[in-house]
Amino acid sequence: MVQAKSWTLKKHFEGFPTDGNFELKTTELPPLNNGEVLLEALFLSVDPYMRVAAKKLKEGDRMMGEQVARVVESKNSAFPKGTIVAALLGWTSHSISDGNGLTKLPVEWPDKLPLSLALGTVGMPGLTAYFGLLDICGVKGGETVMVSAAAGAVGSVVGQIAKLKGCKVVGTAGSDEKVAYLKKLGFDVAFNYKTVKSLEEALRTASPDGYDCYFDNVGGEFSNAVILQMKTFGRIAICGAISQYNRTGPCPQGPAPEVVIYQQLRMEGFIVNRWQGEVRQKALTELMNWVSEGKVQYHEHVTEGFEKMPAAFMGMLKGENLGKTIVKA
């Protein structure tokens, strides 16, 4: 019999998560029925959205999330033993599935690419960057794009795609190491928002004419400052608000309405599962090809050990990661 370890939400978050919010449970999985497969997690993802999505869980529920897993036993001919899949199985080491919701990695997946990229640049974060920039912002060559949290799993891909499309790209991050990484990726301007004397002045110096597109990963006062410097008919893709997820007080005031009105700005929030079917597959193929050809670079912040899931999650929320945070089971 297989013992499955799972991290559950012991207590709802109040402010920043702590170890006391999580509990590790072990359960014995039953034998497989016909049509089922037994999966063993190889890599697990922790992402900012989990901080918000956990509000929908009941205390005692398993933490949600995606993983790359291997079929270790099968009674389903569609998923023979050894098949590698990506699936929203949550924070668990082993699970049983009837095949619904399992996505096989593409047959053309290059051997040189780590399987964990299916949780990052060639997965949900990469797709978020792709559709947020190309569909929501509708970016065009020659435009100026501003990216917050630019060294994260999504932001780093946004900036590189914008460069591929012929844009000027400005990125911000919270450490000098991350700023150096952004410059290595080809960002035209990158600065540490924590050390500049004036955020408004740093934004103006980076692009005196303002910004056509803003890919917003942080929200709050930071985004208010960027929105004041948008060009007329500027577009803002609201992807995340990580600066606000652990707040305990009221929401900060939003951008000045007169700026949005008179600059005729368009702001749109989005969730990546809006795009399905052929368009999603086309985007994944394009991302995979860009990575294989070296046109899009990636960096993974890997934590070893399933027991360290909460630590990896909390570290990511503190900004300790460079690129995508992954747990290797």
mmCIF file of all heavy atoms in Angstrom, residues 84-114:
data_model
loop_
_atom_site.group_PDB
_atom_site.id
_atom_site.type_symbol
_atom_site.label_atom_id
_atom_site.label_comp_id
_atom_site.label_asym_id
_atom_site.label_seq_id
_atom_site.Cartn_x
_atom_site.Cartn_y
_atom_site.Cartn_z
ATOM 1 N N ILE A 84 4.517 10.892 -18.089
ATOM 2 C CA ILE A 84 4.707 12.126 -17.332
ATOM 3 C C ILE A 84 3.534 13.060 -17.621
ATOM 4 O O ILE A 84 3.194 13.293 -18.786
ATOM 5 C CB ILE A 84 6.027 12.834 -17.697
ATOM 6 C CG1 ILE A 84 7.219 11.873 -17.519
ATOM 7 C CG2 ILE A 84 6.206 14.106 -16.868
ATOM 8 C CD1 ILE A 84 7.464 11.446 -16.100
ATOM 9 N N VAL A 85 2.927 13.581 -16.572
ATOM 10 C CA VAL A 85 1.760 14.455 -16.732
ATOM 11 C C VAL A 85 1.919 15.695 -15.867
ATOM 12 O O VAL A 85 2.687 15.722 -14.903
ATOM 13 C CB VAL A 85 0.441 13.737 -16.347
ATOM 14 C CG1 VAL A 85 0.211 12.512 -17.214
ATOM 15 C CG2 VAL A 85 0.432 13.368 -14.860
ATOM 16 N N ALA A 86 1.155 16.728 -16.221
ATOM 17 C CA ALA A 86 0.965 17.896 -15.365
ATOM 18 C C ALA A 86 -0.492 17.912 -14.940
ATOM 19 O O ALA A 86 -1.377 17.591 -15.742
ATOM 20 C CB ALA A 86 1.316 19.176 -16.104
ATOM 21 N N ALA A 87 -0.743 18.245 -13.685
ATOM 22 C CA ALA A 87 -2.119 18.209 -13.197
ATOM 23 C C ALA A 87 -2.253 19.036 -11.926
ATOM 24 O O ALA A 87 -1.294 19.212 -11.174
ATOM 25 C CB ALA A 87 -2.560 16.772 -12.925
ATOM 26 N N LEU A 88 -3.468 19.524 -11.691
ATOM 27 C CA LEU A 88 -3.780 20.283 -10.472
ATOM 28 C C LEU A 88 -4.157 19.305 -9.357
ATOM 29 O O LEU A 88 -5.327 19.135 -9.024
ATOM 30 C CB LEU A 88 -4.922 21.265 -10.756
ATOM 31 C CG LEU A 88 -4.558 22.460 -11.639
ATOM 32 C CD1 LEU A 88 -5.809 23.125 -12.178
ATOM 33 C CD2 LEU A 88 -3.702 23.466 -10.853
ATOM 34 N N LEU A 89 -3.146 18.672 -8.802
ATOM 35 C CA LEU A 89 -3.366 17.636 -7.790
ATOM 36 C C LEU A 89 -3.158 18.152 -6.373
ATOM 37 O O LEU A 89 -3.463 17.448 -5.409
ATOM 38 C CB LEU A 89 -2.440 16.451 -8.054
ATOM 39 C CG LEU A 89 -2.632 15.758 -9.417
ATOM 40 C CD1 LEU A 89 -1.500 14.777 -9.681
ATOM 41 C CD2 LEU A 89 -3.975 15.058 -9.466
ATOM 42 N N GLY A 90 -2.634 19.362 -6.230
ATOM 43 C CA GLY A 90 -2.413 19.929 -4.910
ATOM 44 C C GLY A 90 -1.079 19.517 -4.312
ATOM 45 O O GLY A 90 -0.240 18.877 -4.951
ATOM 46 N N TRP A 91 -0.914 19.878 -3.031
ATOM 47 C CA TRP A 91 0.346 19.610 -2.330
ATOM 48 C C TRP A 91 0.311 18.186 -1.781
ATOM 49 O O TRP A 91 0.111 17.954 -0.595
ATOM 50 C CB TRP A 91 0.527 20.593 -1.177
ATOM 51 C CG TRP A 91 0.729 22.031 -1.588
ATOM 52 C CD1 TRP A 91 0.505 22.593 -2.803
ATOM 53 C CD2 TRP A 91 1.189 23.092 -0.744
ATOM 54 N NE1 TRP A 91 0.791 23.938 -2.776
ATOM 55 C CE2 TRP A 91 1.210 24.270 -1.530
ATOM 56 C CE3 TRP A 91 1.570 23.169 0.597
ATOM 57 C CZ2 TRP A 91 1.607 25.511 -0.998
ATOM 58 C CZ3 TRP A 91 1.965 24.396 1.117
ATOM 59 C CH2 TRP A 91 1.988 25.552 0.319
ATOM 60 N N THR A 92 0.537 17.227 -2.649
ATOM 61 C CA THR A 92 0.509 15.827 -2.241
ATOM 62 C C THR A 92 1.604 15.051 -2.955
ATOM 63 O O THR A 92 1.954 15.355 -4.099
ATOM 64 C CB THR A 92 -0.869 15.196 -2.514
ATOM 65 O OG1 THR A 92 -0.912 13.882 -1.962
ATOM 66 C CG2 THR A 92 -1.178 15.114 -4.007
ATOM 67 N N SER A 93 2.135 14.042 -2.261
ATOM 68 C CA SER A 93 3.239 13.258 -2.831
ATOM 69 C C SER A 93 2.740 12.189 -3.791
ATOM 70 O O SER A 93 3.418 11.848 -4.764
ATOM 71 C CB SER A 93 4.051 12.613 -1.703
ATOM 72 O OG SER A 93 3.243 11.677 -0.988
ATOM 73 N N HIS A 94 1.575 11.617 -3.510
ATOM 74 C CA HIS A 94 0.997 10.562 -4.352
ATOM 75 C C HIS A 94 -0.510 10.791 -4.464
ATOM 76 O O HIS A 94 -1.132 11.311 -3.543
ATOM 77 C CB HIS A 94 1.243 9.170 -3.747
ATOM 78 C CG HIS A 94 2.684 8.785 -3.686
ATOM 79 N ND1 HIS A 94 3.521 9.230 -2.679
ATOM 80 C CD2 HIS A 94 3.446 7.994 -4.498
ATOM 81 C CE1 HIS A 94 4.737 8.735 -2.876
ATOM 82 N NE2 HIS A 94 4.709 7.977 -3.964
ATOM 83 N N SER A 95 -1.077 10.392 -5.579
ATOM 84 C CA SER A 95 -2.527 10.534 -5.748
ATOM 85 C C SER A 95 -3.032 9.515 -6.754
ATOM 86 O O SER A 95 -2.265 8.965 -7.561
ATOM 87 C CB SER A 95 -2.885 11.954 -6.192
ATOM 88 O OG SER A 95 -2.084 12.367 -7.270
ATOM 89 N N ILE A 96 -4.329 9.269 -6.675
ATOM 90 C CA ILE A 96 -5.006 8.380 -7.617
ATOM 91 C C ILE A 96 -5.913 9.227 -8.499
ATOM 92 O O ILE A 96 -6.601 10.124 -8.013
ATOM 93 C CB ILE A 96 -5.817 7.310 -6.866
ATOM 94 C CG1 ILE A 96 -4.866 6.328 -6.178
ATOM 95 C CG2 ILE A 96 -6.747 6.552 -7.825
ATOM 96 C CD1 ILE A 96 -5.559 5.324 -5.274
ATOM 97 N N SER A 97 -5.888 8.951 -9.804
ATOM 98 C CA SER A 97 -6.692 9.715 -10.754
ATOM 99 C C SER A 97 -7.351 8.775 -11.751
ATOM 100 O O SER A 97 -6.803 7.723 -12.092
ATOM 101 C CB SER A 97 -5.794 10.715 -11.504
ATOM 102 O OG SER A 97 -6.489 11.299 -12.597
ATOM 103 N N ASP A 98 -8.536 9.198 -12.228
ATOM 104 C CA ASP A 98 -9.181 8.431 -13.302
ATOM 105 C C ASP A 98 -8.778 8.955 -14.684
ATOM 106 O O ASP A 98 -9.328 8.522 -15.697
ATOM 107 C CB ASP A 98 -10.707 8.480 -13.153
ATOM 108 C CG ASP A 98 -11.272 9.888 -13.253
ATOM 109 O OD1 ASP A 98 -10.502 10.843 -13.515
ATOM 110 O OD2 ASP A 98 -12.497 10.047 -13.071
ATOM 111 N N GLY A 99 -7.829 9.875 -14.701
ATOM 112 C CA GLY A 99 -7.328 10.428 -15.969
ATOM 113 C C GLY A 99 -7.878 11.798 -16.299
ATOM 114 O O GLY A 99 -7.268 12.542 -17.078
ATOM 115 N N ASN A 100 -9.011 12.164 -15.702
ATOM 116 C CA ASN A 100 -9.570 13.493 -15.956
ATOM 117 C C ASN A 100 -8.660 14.558 -15.349
ATOM 118 O O ASN A 100 -8.242 14.447 -14.205
ATOM 119 C CB ASN A 100 -10.972 13.615 -15.346
ATOM 120 C CG ASN A 100 -12.007 12.866 -16.166
ATOM 121 O OD1 ASN A 100 -11.934 12.838 -17.382
ATOM 122 N ND2 ASN A 100 -12.963 12.234 -15.486
ATOM 123 N N GLY A 101 -8.364 15.576 -16.145
ATOM 124 C CA GLY A 101 -7.524 16.665 -15.660
ATOM 125 C C GLY A 101 -6.035 16.415 -15.773
ATOM 126 O O GLY A 101 -5.236 17.277 -15.398
ATOM 127 N N LEU A 102 -5.644 15.250 -16.272
ATOM 128 C CA LEU A 102 -4.226 14.970 -16.481
ATOM 129 C C LEU A 102 -3.816 15.423 -17.882
ATOM 130 O O LEU A 102 -4.496 15.095 -18.862
ATOM 131 C CB LEU A 102 -3.923 13.480 -16.331
ATOM 132 C CG LEU A 102 -4.291 12.808 -15.008
ATOM 133 C CD1 LEU A 102 -3.811 11.362 -15.017
ATOM 134 C CD2 LEU A 102 -3.715 13.562 -13.817
ATOM 135 N N THR A 103 -2.741 16.160 -17.979
ATOM 136 C CA THR A 103 -2.238 16.629 -19.281
ATOM 137 C C THR A 103 -0.858 16.042 -19.524
ATOM 138 O O THR A 103 0.077 16.307 -18.757
ATOM 139 C CB THR A 103 -2.152 18.167 -19.319
ATOM 140 O OG1 THR A 103 -3.439 18.721 -19.039
ATOM 141 C CG2 THR A 103 -1.687 18.644 -20.690
ATOM 142 N N LYS A 104 -0.746 15.225 -20.560
ATOM 143 C CA LYS A 104 0.564 14.666 -20.902
ATOM 144 C C LYS A 104 1.478 15.775 -21.413
ATOM 145 O O LYS A 104 1.020 16.696 -22.098
ATOM 146 C CB LYS A 104 0.423 13.606 -21.998
ATOM 147 C CG LYS A 104 -0.342 12.364 -21.576
ATOM 148 C CD LYS A 104 -0.423 11.394 -22.752
ATOM 149 C CE LYS A 104 -1.285 10.187 -22.429
ATOM 150 N NZ LYS A 104 -1.391 9.273 -23.587
ATOM 151 N N LEU A 105 2.759 15.692 -21.063
ATOM 152 C CA LEU A 105 3.711 16.614 -21.654
ATOM 153 C C LEU A 105 3.782 16.353 -23.158
ATOM 154 O O LEU A 105 3.641 15.203 -23.598
ATOM 155 C CB LEU A 105 5.093 16.442 -21.020
ATOM 156 C CG LEU A 105 5.415 17.449 -19.903
ATOM 157 C CD1 LEU A 105 4.408 17.357 -18.774
ATOM 158 C CD2 LEU A 105 6.831 17.271 -19.393
ATOM 159 N N PRO A 106 3.979 17.400 -23.953
ATOM 160 C CA PRO A 106 4.005 17.221 -25.417
ATOM 161 C C PRO A 106 5.042 16.180 -25.837
ATOM 162 O O PRO A 106 6.126 16.106 -25.248
ATOM 163 C CB PRO A 106 4.377 18.609 -25.940
ATOM 164 C CG PRO A 106 4.022 19.557 -24.842
ATOM 165 C CD PRO A 106 4.216 18.800 -23.566
ATOM 166 N N VAL A 107 4.696 15.393 -26.852
ATOM 167 C CA VAL A 107 5.629 14.366 -27.331
ATOM 168 C C VAL A 107 6.912 15.003 -27.855
ATOM 169 O O VAL A 107 7.980 14.382 -27.837
ATOM 170 C CB VAL A 107 4.983 13.496 -28.438
ATOM 171 C CG1 VAL A 107 3.899 12.621 -27.857
ATOM 172 C CG2 VAL A 107 4.428 14.353 -29.559
ATOM 173 N N GLU A 108 6.810 16.262 -28.303
ATOM 174 C CA GLU A 108 7.996 16.934 -28.847
ATOM 175 C C GLU A 108 8.808 17.660 -27.776
ATOM 176 O O GLU A 108 9.717 18.431 -28.094
ATOM 177 C CB GLU A 108 7.585 17.922 -29.950
ATOM 178 C CG GLU A 108 6.723 19.096 -29.520
ATOM 179 C CD GLU A 108 5.223 18.803 -29.549
ATOM 180 O OE1 GLU A 108 4.830 17.621 -29.491
ATOM 181 O OE2 GLU A 108 4.458 19.778 -29.648
ATOM 182 N N TRP A 109 8.492 17.439 -26.493
ATOM 183 C CA TRP A 109 9.225 18.077 -25.401
ATOM 184 C C TRP A 109 10.716 17.748 -25.519
ATOM 185 O O TRP A 109 11.105 16.573 -25.491
ATOM 186 C CB TRP A 109 8.695 17.590 -24.056
ATOM 187 C CG TRP A 109 9.272 18.306 -22.871
ATOM 188 C CD1 TRP A 109 10.450 18.046 -22.245
ATOM 189 C CD2 TRP A 109 8.692 19.422 -22.179
ATOM 190 N NE1 TRP A 109 10.650 18.920 -21.201
ATOM 191 C CE2 TRP A 109 9.587 19.773 -21.133
ATOM 192 C CE3 TRP A 109 7.514 20.157 -22.324
ATOM 193 C CZ2 TRP A 109 9.327 20.826 -20.261
ATOM 194 C CZ3 TRP A 109 7.263 21.194 -21.449
ATOM 195 C CH2 TRP A 109 8.158 21.525 -20.432
ATOM 196 N N PRO A 110 11.585 18.756 -25.666
ATOM 197 C CA PRO A 110 13.013 18.483 -25.877
ATOM 198 C C PRO A 110 13.653 17.842 -24.651
ATOM 199 O O PRO A 110 13.360 18.220 -23.509
ATOM 200 C CB PRO A 110 13.604 19.882 -26.126
ATOM 201 C CG PRO A 110 12.430 20.750 -26.491
ATOM 202 C CD PRO A 110 11.258 20.188 -25.736
ATOM 203 N N ASP A 111 14.532 16.892 -24.880
ATOM 204 C CA ASP A 111 15.221 16.207 -23.782
ATOM 205 C C ASP A 111 16.031 17.176 -22.928
ATOM 206 O O ASP A 111 16.208 16.949 -21.723
ATOM 207 C CB ASP A 111 16.157 15.126 -24.335
ATOM 208 C CG ASP A 111 15.379 13.952 -24.930
ATOM 209 O OD1 ASP A 111 14.202 13.786 -24.554
ATOM 210 O OD2 ASP A 111 15.951 13.220 -25.757
ATOM 211 N N LYS A 112 16.524 18.261 -23.547
ATOM 212 C CA LYS A 112 17.396 19.184 -22.814
ATOM 213 C C LYS A 112 16.628 20.090 -21.846
ATOM 214 O O LYS A 112 17.243 20.742 -21.001
ATOM 215 C CB LYS A 112 18.200 20.043 -23.792
ATOM 216 C CG LYS A 112 17.363 20.997 -24.639
ATOM 217 C CD LYS A 112 18.238 21.807 -25.587
ATOM 218 C CE LYS A 112 17.397 22.759 -26.436
ATOM 219 N NZ LYS A 112 18.225 23.552 -27.361
ATOM 220 N N LEU A 113 15.296 20.130 -21.960
ATOM 221 C CA LEU A 113 14.511 20.986 -21.072
ATOM 222 C C LEU A 113 14.068 20.207 -19.839
ATOM 223 O O LEU A 113 13.542 19.106 -19.955
ATOM 224 C CB LEU A 113 13.268 21.533 -21.791
ATOM 225 C CG LEU A 113 13.480 22.448 -22.988
ATOM 226 C CD1 LEU A 113 12.150 23.066 -23.410
ATOM 227 C CD2 LEU A 113 14.495 23.535 -22.685
ATOM 228 N N PRO A 114 14.260 20.769 -18.644
ATOM 229 C CA PRO A 114 13.796 20.074 -17.430
ATOM 230 C C PRO A 114 12.276 19.946 -17.421
ATOM 231 O O PRO A 114 11.558 20.843 -17.894
ATOM 232 C CB PRO A 114 14.284 20.962 -16.293
ATOM 233 C CG PRO A 114 14.560 22.295 -16.899
ATOM 234 C CD PRO A 114 14.927 22.048 -18.328
#
